[in-house]
């Protein structure tokens, strides 16, 4: 008999639970008939509707089944409940991942942006405005991204980077890795890729895990050596011609043309131009993009807001040659956009209002000051052998005189609360024999004071 | 001779452009020596620094090169400029994609959410709060997603869906398609998958394009028939046991257990449980998740905020069995999170504050009213043969008496400003012989008035 208590739990739920328990405990067994809803309702002195819901729940969960005209019968659940251990929260192990490792006091990350000069108020303002566009807010955007945002982007890219494209060629997505994943599919799956070494390791990992063949191309001080490409089977080259990461090399015009000639030399050859940080060049004008010289639609241009706004935004964009964007529309626009509508509208407003350009101009000054400061300080150091990649970007590459191995140096610095980055972690091939210890010193996220603090620790370790 | 104009363009840029033009026009040819910076500066009556910058730009772009001690010489750019057509904006074709086709006046989309009862003000409030956490805002989150959000999620999933997991097992990502793409990689690439038919077609497309084999499993009114799984090579089953999309079938307990038995029957077998809309059940209690009965870590639970908050949010989450999350941490956490930090923090605040639960309770009432209203109205219609998938979700499946083909009916309705969806577009196998025309009528985004308007058009077409 079911004992109902008045209280929080609805009556139908109490009935459902009681019967469920009886079935699980075997008190009511397979094939047995339950009392009719009318009868049970009368016995329990509840409305028949209440019992109906309880039974309906038991039916939908498969504990009982209705046989037309003859009532409700218990289903066959033989050895269904053997050892179901409902461990609830208790089984939650204590392991905690996301090891925010010993958080360094000073982090020379090449990916950090300046947290002090970010235009928080403008950003908030644009957010508020978008939050008021209630009508728009709940509708997911086109697979390629918000149309208006792409129109703004294509204008910006033409004026800032010489990129020729229509809004239809722009694909907005949640970060470079995602866009590269998608690109591999658009290119027809497992392609075979030539990369620089060292390079942007995440891209390498994406290619590998997407089943692509990856070969490390030969390099010289001008970047990838193109002469040997033709003799090899690869059909895709991934490069950062305007400011190679992490080396900071700028690929000269001649070399760029060789690369384009290679791509134009055969069907189905593509160049992925990752233009990750060209907003920040401190001497002269930005280097025009490789895409701006592309005559045969073989350059795929990849850009990001990670450095120009923030890595926390998770927003990148890819400019596809016309025939590839057509292919996307034909075969891939089942992929819903990966960027929240609100986010896209905020960035669009940020760009259309001119805030973005103002922000870039301001940050160019801010970063140039840090860049110049770090450069000046480094040149004073006896342990600094060679500095590379200056004049642009958010980090410097520094070859150091060092008694330690790279790993040791990083470890010792970290023990002293300073995180520096070693070149070897960006290598995808075999590190050059006897390569001198080389550090990446990112300055974007640090103040001059912090830069000095960090350098002081390196002095302590390296000025032997 | 270079003619400098005072004005907007900086002097160094004018010099750079003038020389660049001369080189491109062949007025200065390969190997020719440029005037020394000192000399040119004197001639142009500008600072030597200005000329330095201009030359440096030409060097970095590869037009000229410096020879130690002897000055600057023009590089070999033979036939580099042949036919470079800078077509600027002019080459922008007029084709416009994202064809927001003839926007229907009334759209019975099964994916639309209610735009009227969304708690815009609460949402704005949480946004403002997050925007004030300036420190947090610029830092990208862990690969699996914001730790705090995942803690909140694991508590919610346990209490709402009986899902057992630690925050470490939860992977937050930009939508189901992205998470499935990732999952295929975590499972070691090309797996072979059994799917229901009809099903969530996007998932099918993702599997296909990720190189998986997909087989349509045999079904009956209880969903996938599990008896035949063992005789087949597939190692992954993708199902929606709590409320199958689009059919609305609920998989009974017995069938669920068969499925689990199959998965536990051999190494490397997995069940992907897509629990897309179980927040909205209008009779009795939610059906417990399949994951809650999983004893051997073979269920991958997939959930989304697309229906519980908005499809515009692009936020989903995947609960991985312990060994798979370990694998993710080991091999895949180079994938930066695909959801903006701000977005994650807003949703976290929305959940922690209780807003989410309040929102769900409210929407459950709102949607139940629409659901009951549409159901009542449909039952009056003579052209309605059969209604399926009631009691849950945001759409009803309606078999209709119809002289037209499905395509014709959809077309005719659209001409009258009403978009309805046909079952066939969710089929991945061959449609059953002679299948009666079956419509999906989503009610989430429509008011009762709009529902009536839409039905009136169908009456006009079907009440012959």
């Amino acid at each position: 008999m079911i004992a109902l208590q008045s209280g929080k739990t609805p009556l139908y739920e109490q009935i459902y639970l009681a019967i469920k328990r009886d079935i699980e405990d075997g008190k009511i067994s397979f094939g047995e008939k339950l009392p009719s809803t009318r009868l049970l309702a009368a016995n329990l002195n509840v409305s028949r509707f209440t019992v109906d819901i309880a039974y309906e729940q038991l039916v939908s969960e498969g504990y009982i089944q209705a046989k037309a005209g003859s009532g409700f019968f218990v289903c066959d659940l033989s050895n269904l409940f053997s050892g179901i251990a409902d461990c609830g929260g208790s089984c939650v192990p204590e392991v905690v991942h996301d090891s925010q490792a010993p958080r360094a006091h000073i982090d020379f990350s090449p990916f950090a942006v300046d947290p002090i000069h970010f235009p928080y108020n403008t950003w908030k303002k644009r957010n508020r405005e978008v939050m008021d566009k209630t009508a728009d807010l709940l509708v997911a955007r086109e697979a390629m991204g918000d149309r208006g945002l792409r129109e703004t982007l294509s204008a910006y890219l033409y004026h800032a980077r010489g990129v020729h494209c229509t809004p239809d060629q722009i694909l907005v997505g949640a970060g470079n890795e995602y866009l590269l994943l998608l690109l591999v599919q658009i290119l027809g799956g497992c392609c075979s890729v030539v990369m620089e070494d060292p390079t942007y390791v995440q891209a390498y990992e994406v290619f590998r895990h997407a089943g692509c063949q990856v070969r490390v191309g030969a390099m010289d001080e001008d970047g990838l050596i193109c002469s040997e490409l033709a003799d090899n089977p690869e059909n895709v080259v991934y490069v950062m011609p305007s400011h190679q990461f992490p080396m900071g090399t700028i690929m000269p015009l001649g070399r760029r043309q060789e690369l384009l000639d290679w791509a134009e030399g055969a069907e189905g050859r593509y160049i992925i131009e990752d233009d990750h940080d060209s907003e920040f060049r401190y001497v002269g004008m930005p280097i025009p993009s490789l895409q701006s010289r592309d005559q045969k639609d073989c350059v795929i241009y990849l850009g990001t807001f990670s450095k120009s706004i923030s890595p926390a935004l998770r927003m990148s964009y890819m400019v596809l040659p016309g025939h590839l964007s057509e292919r996307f529309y034909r075969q891939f626009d089942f992929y819903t956009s990966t960027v929240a509508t609100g986010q896209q509208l905020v960035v669009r407003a940020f760009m259309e209002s001119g805030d973005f350009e103002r922000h870039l101009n301001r940050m160019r000054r801010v970063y140039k000051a840090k860049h110049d400061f770090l450069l000046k300080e480094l040149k004073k150091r006896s342990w600094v052998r060679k500095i590379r990649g200056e004049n642009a970007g958010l980090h410097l590459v520094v070859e150091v005189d060092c008694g330690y191995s790279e790993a040791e140096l990083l470890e010792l610095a970290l023990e002293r609360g300073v995180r520096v980055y070693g070149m070897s972690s960006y290598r995808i091939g075999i590190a050059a024999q006897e390569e001198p210890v080389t550090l990446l010193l990112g300055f974007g996220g640090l103040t001059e004071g912090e830069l000095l603090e960090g350098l002081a620790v390196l002095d302590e370790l390296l000025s032997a």
Side-chain angles (χ1 to χ4, degrees), chain A:
Chain A
M1 184 55 203
I2 304 171
L4 298 177
Q5 296 130 7
S6 58
K8 280 240 213 63
T9 328
L11 292 174
Y12 78 84
E13 185 168 346
Q14 296 185 45
I15 298 168
Y16 155 82
L17 287 170
I19 299 176
K20 180 178 171 190
R21 205 177 310 106
D22 287 353
I23 294 176
E24 294 188 353
D25 301 350
K27 290 190 189 143
I28 320 176
S29 45
F30 168 44
E32 213 171 303
K33 183 173 192 287
L34 293 187
S36 73
T37 54
R38 194 186 41 68
L39 184 66
L40 186 59
N43 290 345
L44 296 175
N45 184 23
V46 298
S47 84
R48 191 161 165 185
F49 178 65
T50 306
V51 179
D52 283 339
I53 303 183
Y55 277 24
E56 190 160 353
Q57 183 76 25
L58 290 162
V59 169
S60 38
E61 291 189 24
Y63 285 91
I64 62 175
Q65 60 197 29
K67 288 185 185 157
S70 54
F72 294 92
F73 298 81
V74 176
C75 301
D76 180 7
L77 308 172
S78 36
N79 52 51
L80 191 58
F81 304 102
S82 46
I84 291 253
D86 177 304
C87 58
S90 68
C91 63
V92 177
E94 281 318 300
V95 215
V96 172
H97 284 278
D98 328 317
S99 52
Q100 296 291 63
R103 222 201 195 114
H105 172 49
I106 304 227
D107 190 335
F108 279 94
S109 167
F111 299 111
V113 295
D114 182 294
I116 297 164
H117 298 82
F118 186 80
Y120 294 103
N121 291 329
T122 324
W123 189 253
K124 274 192 231 175
K125 185 153 171 294
R126 300 296 160 221
N127 256 278
R128 274 199 306 280
E129 289 164 6
V130 167
M131 287 297 134
D132 292 333
K133 297 199 185 121
T134 51
D136 276 15
L137 213 55
L138 299 188
V139 186
R141 281 317 190 243
E142 302 92 329
M144 299 280 275
D146 174 77
R147 174 98 201 154
L149 172 62
R150 286 181 288 124
E151 279 162 2
T152 312
L153 258 173
S154 69
Y156 165 74
L157 287 174
Y158 178 63
H159 132 92
R161 310 291 304 121
V163 171
H164 297 153
C165 69
T166 73
D168 294 327
Q169 293 171 253
I170 300 179
L171 177 47
V172 175
N176 287 19
E177 289 97 286
Y178 171 72
L179 288 176
L180 287 173
L181 263 180
L182 218 52
L183 180 59
V184 171
Q185 294 195 358
I186 297 170
L187 292 179
C190 322
C191 14
S192 120
V193 186
V194 176
M195 297 185 81
E196 299 160 304
D197 181 28
T199 186
Y200 181 62
V201 180
Q202 278 89 333
Y204 169 70
E205 291 294 343
V206 170
F207 289 133
R208 260 178 8 93
H209 287 287
C212 302
Q213 299 297 322
V214 180
R215 182 173 65 85
V216 171
M219 316 232 327
D220 61 18
E221 62 288 341
D222 286 344
L224 202 66
I225 298 174
C226 304
S227 48
E228 54 121 50
L229 288 176
D231 317 332
N232 284 287
E234 292 82 11
N235 65 323
V236 175
V237 170
Y238 173 93
V239 284
M240 296 170 272
S242 299
H243 192 237
Q244 205 271 348
F245 181 85
M247 296 303 278
T249 322
I250 294 169
M251 187 181 277
L253 204 56
R255 187 64 62 93
R256 289 168 183 239
Q257 193 56 44
E258 287 178 45
L259 200 50
L260 287 168
D261 291 341
W262 164 80
E264 294 169 0
E267 267 309 299
R269 284 182 181 170
Y270 293 100
I271 301 164
I272 302 173
E273 173 181 25
D274 184 345
D275 198 30
H276 57 102
D277 69 357
S278 43
E279 295 83 4
F280 300 118
R281 182 159 161 72
Y282 311 121
V283 177
M285 286 152 290
I287 311 292
S289 68
L290 184 61
Q291 199 267 9
S292 67
R293 303 198 140 275
D294 179 17
Q295 295 300 296
K296 301 256 174 71
D297 284 352
C298 46
V299 173
I300 294 141
Y301 177 91
L302 197 58
T304 176
F305 288 110
S306 290
K307 280 165 177 163
S308 56
I309 298 181
S310 161
L313 203 57
R314 314 308 312 131
M315 254 176 99
S316 295
Y317 41 89
M318 180 160 69
V319 177
L320 296 168
H323 62 287
L324 291 186
S325 56
E326 289 298 335
R327 193 181 297 170
F328 179 87
Y329 286 108
R330 271 201 316 277
Q331 298 175 35
F332 296 94
D333 68 356
F334 65 87
Y335 280 114
T336 328
S337 166
T338 43
V339 184
T341 298
Q343 196 81 68
Q344 296 193 51
L345 296 180
V346 169
V347 171
R348 173 181 167 182
F350 194 67
M351 295 184 85
E352 287 175 352
S353 59
D355 295 334
F356 183 57
E357 191 127 21
R358 278 186 290 278
H359 171 60
L360 284 181
N361 293 332
R362 182 183 197 192
M363 293 319 292
R364 221 172 270 119
R365 285 195 304 275
V366 170
Y367 289 137
K368 181 179 193 316
K370 296 186 187 196
H371 165 275
D372 295 353
F373 180 81
L374 180 58
L375 201 56
K376 181 177 103 270
E377 284 300 325
L378 285 170
K379 285 179 173 160
K380 295 181 192 164
R381 283 5 194 221
S382 59
W383 49 263
V384 171
R385 236 196 240 173
K386 193 170 173 192
I387 302 174
R388 289 210 214 80
E390 64 272 41
N391 298 342
L394 300 184
H395 75 278
L396 293 172
V397 177
V398 185
E399 218 176 278
V400 302
D401 262 320
C402 179
Y404 310 106
S405 73
E406 182 191 287
E408 288 166 342
L409 180 57
L410 268 52
E411 186 52 39
L412 289 166
L414 193 53
E415 282 168 12
R416 290 157 178 74
V418 175
R419 175 171 285 125
V420 288
Y421 298 77
M423 182 58 76
S424 64
S425 41
Y426 302 95
R427 290 224 168 263
I428 56 174
I430 300 92
Q433 283 296 326
E434 311 263 331
E435 186 177 46
V437 172
T438 307
L439 302 178
L440 269 71
L441 298 183
F443 49 81
L446 301 174
T447 63
E448 294 192 352
E450 290 167 325
L451 288 170
L452 284 180
E453 248 185 279
L455 288 176
V457 166
L458 293 177
D459 288 335
E460 176 193 334
L461 292 168
L462 296 170
S463 311

